[in-house]
Amino acid sequence: MTSERPKARTPYSGGASPASRRDKLRRKVGDNVLGYAFMAAGIACFALFSWYPLVRGVILSFQQVNFVTDPIWVGFDNFKAIFDDPLFYTAWWNTLKFTVLALILGYLVPFAIAVILNEIRHFKGFFRIAIYLPVMLPPIVVVLLWKFFYDPGNGLFNTVLSFLHLPTSDWTQSPKMSMISLVLVSTWANMGGATIMYLAALQNIPGELYEAAELEGASVWQRLRHITIPQMRFIMLVLLLLQIVATMQVFIEPYQLTGTTNPDTITVMVLIYRYAFTVNNDFGLAAAMSVLLFIVLGVFSAVYLRVTRDQD
Amino acid sequence: MTSDTRTLISGTDLNRRRNKVIYYTVLTVLMITFVVVFFFPFYWMVTGAVKHPAELVRPTPTFIPESWHWDTYKLAWDQLNIAHFFLNTLYYSIGGWFVQLLVDVTAAYALSKLKPVGGKLILGGMLASLMLPAAALLVPAYLTVTDVPIFGWNLLNSPWALWLPGAANAFNIYVLKRFFDQIPNDLLDSASMDGAGRVRVLWHIVLPLSRPVLAVVSIFAVIGMWKDFLWPLLVLQDPDAQTLSVALSRLSATNQVPLTEMLAGLVIASIPMIVVFMVFQRSILGGLQAGSLKG
């Protein structure tokens, strides 16, 4: 890219240029005008659909809204009302249950699978594609398909279980199993993403570390414990935070498989949906609940952003 | 993806006979498990749709359909109006992709190369939105869409209700800006010396160089639009405007749809995503890794 001509103007690298001061100034002004013209649409989208709703959500949580008169300020009444709602505690408890179960399955299993897949020297592409395939499906397809499998009457799962002379289950329709059923669907649909990310991190572990350990006479288990897992610490933390934030927002599984009225599976998002759109039609209550969810998730998000920023 | 990178277990380890046996046992078990767990549900969905309705609900399921009714797909396409919802979703995806690229590329280019005053602050504000879980903004965002401030639009049942919030995508802007930052300024200088303006430099130099990142952003934009459920459920309440996902949810709740046609609908909804995956698997799996490890 060497050009023989003398450098006349270097607007991008801002190198020394013999251009007159006025030229420079004009270009700076021009860049600012054009820059803001280019950013206008982006800024508008963020302002209208991200920044403003955030402020509005907080304001809403202190208001009573009906669409006839202006909103009325009600102070902490919305928060008092949801704290008095027994479903509030049910929803948080269910969400916690879902998150913990989903982490046990969806956090540790992909790690184990990734470690094993990383050692496999055949059909690498096949394994990657297979595990990521469900991630590509629209979530509604996944839950409706599993609805068929879970069917207590003659769904596939119970048929296979009874064929093997194992006890069958009512799956989504039994109080004991309903939450686990939701976690199973969700894990099947989402584990591919975590596995692929773990695999990428495993590929980045320098081979010399393993070689050195081998020369020292470390067994495979020792190598796993002292090299693989410490090297994976960062990505494991990142995925832990990401998964907590994602699983706490669970909605479609309970919405579609167990309904929004089933106390065994009402999650925080389902309750927000009920407050706003079905049972209460009260946006103030829903906003108050959203603010609480935002505070809880905001902690994890903030930690995530801190952790990943230090990496850069 | 070199196959000879050193991993946990070395080649010499594997060459011992006992370990070879273990390796091939693990490989076989893994293969069978993956086929059963990840491919069989697809097989069951595709073949379940072509069974006779009576065969589908039989207590002992059949592995291979006894009779093949491929016309179930056609019935679902026509009678359930899957065609209409499919085209809706396609239209929303393509439009959403275009709006996202237009808005996010221009913003990222301005932030990366034009560096207007206050750009850093604006970028910070955009990235801060990554901290906002979509769920927590659901209710106020819905109210905003029903009555957009300043403009006073009601976007319910309009594609713009999906497109405009979709364009407020900090991840896109972050990834694009980082890529543009890596394009050497000298290269752009030599172009502007030839008299090309800022816009032409973007169009003729920056964008052609950015093909890989544009591909990843595009693919994820389309996938996101196609997979979205809760937001379209709220803002597209008119059955005529619904996406395929929302329509399938509504149809399944009516209990009046034959199960075989329901399955056919699920298959039809999956096909575009599977095709996208098969064609762009490298970019998708690679983009995922780049996103997770931040370059």
Side-chain angles (χ1 to χ4, degrees):
Chain A
M1 292 311 304
T2 50
S3 61
E4 291 306 304
R5 280 175 298 175
K7 282 214 161 157
R9 301 190 320 180
T10 50
Y12 288 96
S13 41
S17 74
S20 72
R21 255 227 196 83
R22 210 177 46 186
D23 247 19
K24 255 196 186 146
L25 186 72
R26 190 180 321 140
R27 207 168 42 237
K28 250 206 144 50
V29 170
D31 271 359
N32 266 295
V33 171
L34 189 66
Y36 272 95
F38 267 23
M39 290 192 306
I43 294 173
C45 285
F46 273 93
L48 291 174
F49 301 104
S50 179
W51 304 332
Y52 169 74
L54 176 67
V55 177
R56 173 119 194 235
V58 176
I59 292 173
L60 263 177
S61 63
F62 297 103
Q63 288 182 330
Q64 196 175 12
V65 204
N66 59 37
F67 293 97
V68 189
T69 58
D70 279 337
I72 310 153
W73 288 92
V74 292
F76 281 93
D77 282 5
N78 287 325
F79 290 93
K80 285 196 192 101
I82 58 175
F83 284 136
D84 285 341
D85 182 358
L87 278 179
F88 173 86
Y89 303 95
T90 310
W92 281 103
W93 175 242
N94 284 339
T95 304
L96 184 71
K97 244 190 339 196
F98 181 92
T99 302
V100 170
L101 287 169
L103 281 178
I104 293 171
L105 272 177
Y107 181 66
L108 296 175
V109 174
F111 181 78
I113 291 179
V115 169
I116 296 170
L117 283 188
N118 203 35
E119 300 307 322
I120 297 285
R121 288 152 172 74
H122 302 83
F123 309 110
K124 280 173 181 256
F126 159 82
F127 287 116
R128 276 159 201 274
I129 288 174
I131 202 160
Y132 201 73
L133 206 50
V135 185
M136 293 298 295
L137 292 185
I140 193 74
V141 171
V142 173
V143 291
L144 289 176
L145 181 63
W146 280 62
K147 205 173 176 170
F148 277 95
F149 295 157
Y150 278 143
D151 192 275
N154 43 24
L156 195 68
F157 288 167
N158 278 352
T159 313
V160 171
L161 286 175
S162 56
F163 178 77
L164 299 170
H165 299 291
L166 292 166
T168 58
S169 162
D170 282 346
W171 300 107
T172 53
Q173 294 170 31
S174 96
K176 262 211 331 243
M177 283 297 292
S178 53
M179 195 50 100
I180 294 170
S181 307
L182 301 187
V183 172
L184 282 177
V185 185
S186 174
T187 304
W188 182 81
N190 297 312
M191 72 194 297
T195 311
I196 298 291
M197 289 186 195
Y198 281 136
L199 264 173
L202 285 167
Q203 300 271 334
N204 283 334
I205 299 178
E208 299 83 57
L209 292 177
Y210 289 122
E211 269 157 28
E214 208 179 351
L215 291 176
E216 303 271 317
S219 72
V220 171
W221 296 117
Q222 284 171 323
R223 286 176 228 162
L224 179 71
R225 248 199 68 198
H226 297 290
I227 297 169
T228 313
I229 292 176
Q231 288 280 324
M232 296 284 282
R233 236 180 230 142
F234 172 68
I235 184 82
M236 286 178 88
L237 176 62
V238 167
L239 279 175
L240 180 69
L241 294 165
L242 279 179
Q243 285 199 23
I244 290 172
V245 173
T247 49
M248 285 195 78
Q249 300 182 51
V250 58
F251 175 81
I252 190 168
E253 289 89 353
Y255 173 84
Q256 203 62 52
L257 289 172
T258 51
T260 53
T261 55
N262 183 338
D264 298 318
T265 53
I266 286 180
T267 60
V268 172
M269 267 325 285
V270 171
L271 191 57
I272 290 175
Y273 179 80
R274 283 171 52 120
Y275 282 153
F277 300 105
T278 58
V279 183
N280 311 64
N281 280 317
D282 186 332
F283 285 97
L285 292 182
M289 190 76 177
S290 302
V291 167
L292 295 177
L293 177 67
F294 172 67
I295 291 168
V296 172
L297 294 182
V299 172
F300 293 111
S301 298
V303 174
Y304 166 76
L305 285 184
R306 271 308 300 268
V307 169
T308 48
R309 205 180 36 208
D310 294 346
Q311 272 296 301
D312 272 357
Chain B
M1 298 293 129
T2 46
S3 52
D4 50 7
T5 37
R6 180 54 228 272
T7 56
L8 196 54
I9 300 168
S10 67
T12 39
D13 270 337
L14 263 183
N15 280 337
R16 294 197 198 111
R17 172 165 307 196
R18 191 178 66 108
N19 290 348
K20 259 202 170 131
V21 172
I22 295 176
Y23 172 79
Y24 281 105
T25 316
V26 170
L27 179 66
T28 315
V29 170
L30 216 53
M31 275 295 254
I32 293 168
T33 313
F34 268 55
V35 168
V36 170
V37 173
F38 297 112
F39 279 109
F40 179 73
F42 283 85
Y43 170 85
W44 193 87
M45 185 163 71
V46 175
T47 54
V50 300
K51 287 174 183 171
H52 188 274
E55 186 188 346
L56 185 67
V57 296
R58 214 179 291 163
T60 41
T62 45
F63 185 68
I64 296 168
E66 288 169 1
S67 53
W68 299 73
H69 302 269
W70 288 105
D71 54 336
T72 314
Y73 284 96
K74 202 174 159 2
L75 280 176
W77 185 252
D78 296 333
Q79 287 185 350
L80 294 187
N81 232 343
I82 297 284
H84 176 76
F85 301 118
F86 185 91
L87 292 175
N88 271 357
T89 317
L90 198 65
Y91 168 57
Y92 297 149
S93 303
I94 293 169
W97 163 79
F98 180 77
V99 174
Q100 264 186 51
L101 275 197
L102 186 73
V103 171
D104 296 348
V105 165
T106 47
Y109 176 67
L111 289 165
S112 169
K113 298 296 180 198
L114 301 179
K115 297 204 170 70
V117 180
K120 272 209 157 62
L121 187 73
I122 287 164
L123 181 67
M126 288 175 174
L127 292 179
S129 78
L130 286 172
M131 276 184 56
L132 308 176
L137 286 184
L138 194 69
V139 172
Y142 170 83
L143 286 176
T144 307
V145 164
T146 58
D147 182 11
V148 179
I150 304 166
F151 300 97
W153 300 321
N154 176 359
L155 299 178
L156 282 192
N157 297 321
S158 138
W160 294 102
L162 304 180
W163 293 344
L164 293 177
N169 186 323
F171 178 78
N172 281 359
I173 290 180
Y174 176 79
V175 172
L176 289 165
K177 179 184 176 291
R178 272 182 68 114
F179 198 92
F180 295 163
D181 284 346
Q182 288 168 355
I183 297 175
N185 286 326
D186 300 354
L187 189 66
L188 307 186
D189 283 340
S190 52
S192 60
M193 275 182 12
D194 297 337
R198 301 299 213 193
V199 182
R200 277 190 57 190
V201 167
L202 168 65
W203 186 252
H204 288 287
I205 297 175
V206 174
L207 287 187
L209 284 172
S210 309
R211 274 203 195 103
V213 75
L214 292 176
V216 170
V217 167
S218 302
I219 293 164
F220 281 101
V222 171
I223 293 173
M225 280 277 170
W226 203 270
K227 283 183 67 171
D228 207 4
F229 177 77
L230 179 53
W231 183 247
L233 174 78
L234 298 178
V235 296
L236 305 172
Q237 289 160 357
D238 172 10
D240 214 39
Q242 279 173 349
T243 63
L244 189 47
S245 282
V246 176
L248 285 170
S249 168
R250 183 171 47 82
L251 288 170
S252 83
T254 60
N255 284 330
Q256 290 169 11
V257 179
L259 290 182
T260 50
E261 288 184 31
M262 195 71 219
L263 274 175
L266 298 185
V267 174
I268 293 170
S270 316
I271 288 171
M273 288 292 96
I274 292 172
V275 170
V276 165
F277 186 42
M278 290 303 155
V279 176
F280 299 107
Q281 45 155 311
R282 286 196 94 94
S283 308
I284 291 170
L285 297 179
L288 207 68
Q289 294 163 6
S292 70
L293 304 170
K294 293 248 177 138

